[in-house]
Amino acid sequence: MTKIKAFIGPAVFLTFAAGAATAGTLGDVKGRDVLKCGVNTGFAGFAYPDSSGRWQGFDVAICRAVAAAVLGDQDKIEFVPTTGETRFTALTSGEIDVLPRNTTWTFTRDVDLKFTFAGVNYYDGQGFMVRKDLGVTSAKELDGATICVQTGTTTELNLADYFKTQGISYQPVPIQTPAEADQQFLGGACDAYTTDASQLATQRGTYPNPADYIILPEIISKEPLGPVVRQGDDEWADVVRWTYNALVAAEEYGVTKKNIDEMSSSENPEVRRLLGTEGDLGRMLGLDADWAKRAIAANGNYGEIFAETIGVGTPANIERGLNALWINGGLQYSPPFR
Amino acid sequence: MTSIDVSREQFRLSMLLYDTRYRSLTIQVVAMIALMSAAAWLVNNTVENLSALGKDFSFRFLGQRAGYDISQTLIPYTNDDTHARAALVGIVNTLLVAFVGCLLATAIGVTMGVLRLSRNWIVARLAAVYVDGFRNIPVLLWILATMAVITDTAPAPSAFRGDNATASMIFGSVAVTNRGVYVPWPIFGPGWQIVVGTFLLSVIAILVFGRWAKARQDATGQILPTFWIKLGLFVLPVLIADQIAGRPISLDYPELQRFNFEGGGFLDKSFIALTLALSLYTGAFIAEAVRAGIQAISRGQSEAAAALGLRSGRIMSLVILPQALRVIIPPLISQYLNLTKNSSLAIAVGYADVRATLGGITMNQTGRELECMLLLMGFYLILSLLISGTMNWYNARVALKER
């Protein structure tokens, strides 16, 4: 008897627990007064806890902006570190509300895995990094090499496709986290390390002698990275999408962390609508009028975030490139706030 | 004479609760209903949540192209094969770790268990340190530590290059690198069937000879030097057959190419780290089971055997161990099961077991969490039942025959 009772207890508990997560995510987040944000386990420049344990980085800034917009405080966040393999399960199961974790927007993920991509905060592509003294200048010369690749990623599939089309062979070494990749790659257990070029650059920036490593010229894929939410909750997807758009629009109109108060009384109606001094865009989103203002004030506009976390001069030292605003020849473009 | 009138008591509903004849039945029925409705709710909840997410429940994904490469493939596999094939590659890899791990763990465990009872103080203490050290630290840490040791201490293949290479191959044929171990591997040329056939015949001959020698010993009491004769039977015919057939089996040696050693056989370091750590960890538990088994045999047994004039090695192998096996086997079964299930920690070192292919990459690429997890659980359940079934059969054979 005791055995049966002991079984029923948890079973009933589980059923109740599983039945709970059905309300809208926006309502859940407000009710909980904390945003659950799925981030990388530690990836310099994009998502990492600093020396005081506070999460920092380009991807983390998205979460901070959303938390500031919805909850009024960019620190009301519970960060959930996820690996390439665990991230989707965490999102589907409701363990996290949003996943800004250098995740590539693909057809299957969008359509079959039932996710919604709320935008592209970084246009990336997959590259290869090797030691300079290996004497390799092109990915086509990597026949027979041992290559470290993050498992459970699009990178893994691109790698297989690329070597197949080139008609050359390789030995994969599956790894889980960027830290593990560093250990294997720096120790010489793999000849090359492949992942998104932005990640290669940021990781190289943390190495003892960054100049000893080169990133090969071939970019073998398109990797549009962006924040992901569950499909079917359009209200929440809108909140994340337009918070991100607000950061991009702010850069376009010159709204920065510093001048945001003066800009509220700007002559430009678009800026006034963005910052809530005109119209009621916030209410339409289910938020208050100052939502975008708080989101921008948290860590600055898109350009400020980029420059501070991964831009030129930081260890990652990444040029804006494709991620420049459309008016500067890049791809970052926000639909109008109207 | 008075006859006792047994009147049938009228059945009342309250008797279901208060009458001990019915009470246990009532409780069982109530518990069963509760259990089944809980299960029904769970299933219903899953179905509803899946449909709310717009997902269906189907295993069609197993027939789709996998598209990823696997680091260790014992059966032919390319990224054009299906997810089912990738899962099978993972299953074979899991079986390999489980099989090699169990053998190694048994060898380590029996040795250490016997050594722990040694009269030599240092030997007994060292065995105790091994047992307590490995038993009391989580196996995941041992796996990671073994991996780190291999990665950080073994040289990279490039260290073998050049005139003043810092590393060299052992016996000129085995290369221990931080990517794994490259070993010579046999190539089967034409006529290899003769050699392999001879080998199988000599194995049969060894078994037949063993039985004959035992029967002869039982009848006459004479002991033959069976070990040397068996060794001769094992080695000589194969060598002779190899010469006669014109040496069809040769060795392929690994050679350093542009990036890696090519040719020969390759033991991936993740395989080595995982198998070694699992064997050492499980071996510590087996050592304790072996020690308990030996100590369960009363001292009188070994004293009686000594009085008959048996040497201590023979006392152990002929008197103590056969009886100790009855005590050792049941805990040994659960250790084998533990090792097999613990092999799913392979993902920590990037070994491509079934958890990493089906439950890792395939699950991630297709988004079929529920289906993949059910398949995985089914696989481990079947494997564990097979292992315990086999071991229980063996246990029944060595168990004390009571008449």
Side-chain angles (χ1 to χ4, degrees), chain A residues 2 8 10 23-24 27-28 38 41 61 104-105 148 159 179 184 216-217 222 240-241 249 266 278 296 309 326 331:
Chain A
T2 19
I8 290 177
D28 285 348
T41 48
T104 307
W105 187 353
C148 280
L159 179 66
Q184 301 288 338
L216 299 178
K222 289 185 289 186
V240 177
R241 178 178 301 119
S266 159
E278 191 182 302
I296 299 161
T309 53
W326 63 286
L331 292 173

Side-chain angles (χ1 to χ4, degrees), chain B residues 42-90:
Chain B
L42 268 179
V43 171
N44 181 41
N45 198 358
T46 310
V47 171
E48 273 183 14
N49 274 337
L50 277 179
S51 69
L53 281 168
K55 286 184 161 190
D56 57 346
F57 185 83
S58 127
F59 289 97
R60 270 200 304 275
F61 70 96
L62 286 173
Q64 292 166 358
R65 178 177 178 264
Y68 58 88
D69 288 304
I70 300 176
S71 51
Q72 177 184 305
T73 50
L74 298 181
I75 54 173
Y77 169 85
T78 69
N79 57 41
D80 284 328
D81 283 317
T82 61
H83 281 295
R85 182 80 180 178
L88 192 64
V89 172

Side-chain angles (χ1 to χ4, degrees), chain B residues 150-309:
Chain B
I150 297 176
T151 308
D152 292 339
T153 58
S158 56
F160 291 81
R161 196 186 307 280
D163 295 329
N164 46 1
T166 52
S168 59
M169 294 164 84
I170 302 164
F171 305 127
S173 56
V174 176
V176 180
T177 74
N178 61 358
R179 293 172 186 180
V181 177
Y182 298 84
V183 293
W185 204 252
I187 309 174
F188 295 95
W192 63 271
Q193 294 90 341
I194 301 175
V195 181
V196 174
T198 315
F199 174 73
L200 292 177
L201 282 177
S202 56
V203 169
I204 296 171
I206 287 170
L207 292 175
V208 171
F209 168 74
R211 293 203 162 191
W212 176 78
K214 193 166 186 309
R216 184 167 174 274
Q217 187 186 341
D218 287 346
T220 66
Q222 286 172 310
I223 300 173
L224 286 171
T226 47
F227 176 76
W228 294 107
I229 294 175
K230 281 179 183 171
L231 189 69
L233 277 175
F234 190 75
V235 176
L236 290 178
V238 172
L239 286 182
I240 293 166
D242 191 41
Q243 289 296 340
I244 291 172
R247 313 193 62 99
I249 298 177
S250 57
L251 285 177
D252 180 23
Y253 291 97
E255 267 179 58
L256 188 58
Q257 300 296 330
R258 176 77 178 85
F259 297 104
N260 281 318
F261 285 90
E262 306 270 345
F266 174 53
L267 296 170
D268 199 298
K269 80 172 160 183
S270 60
F271 169 74
I272 297 174
L274 182 70
T275 314
L276 206 58
L278 283 176
S279 312
L280 284 169
Y281 177 78
T282 315
F285 289 89
I286 294 179
E288 283 297 89
V290 168
R291 182 175 69 102
I294 293 174
Q295 286 182 330
I297 308 304
S298 94
R299 280 195 72 81
Q301 294 276 335
S302 49
E303 283 164 3
L308 286 174

Side-chain angles (χ1 to χ4, degrees), chain A residues 22 24-25 36 79 83 90-91 98 107 119 121 205-206 220 223 259 269 300 315:
Chain A
T22 44
T25 310
K36 290 190 192 164
F79 288 99
T83 67
L91 185 60
V98 58
F107 182 95
N121 69 335
T206 64
I220 66 170
E223 307 283 338
N259 70 8

Side-chain angles (χ1 to χ4, degrees), chain A residues 190-215:
Chain A
C190 37
D191 299 303
Y193 172 36
T194 182
T195 186
D196 299 341
S198 64
Q199 193 168 340
L200 292 178
T202 33
Q203 280 184 256
R204 183 174 63 171
T206 64
Y207 291 170
N209 294 309
D212 289 351
Y213 304 89
I214 53 167
I215 295 171

Side-chain angles (χ1 to χ4, degrees), chain A residues 32-56:
Chain A
R32 205 191 301 131
D33 202 31
V34 67
L35 174 74
K36 290 190 192 164
C37 172
V39 289
N40 206 306
T41 48
F43 168 19
F46 283 81
Y48 60 99
D50 64 13
S51 52
S52 62
R54 190 179 137 91
W55 281 88
Q56 301 284 3

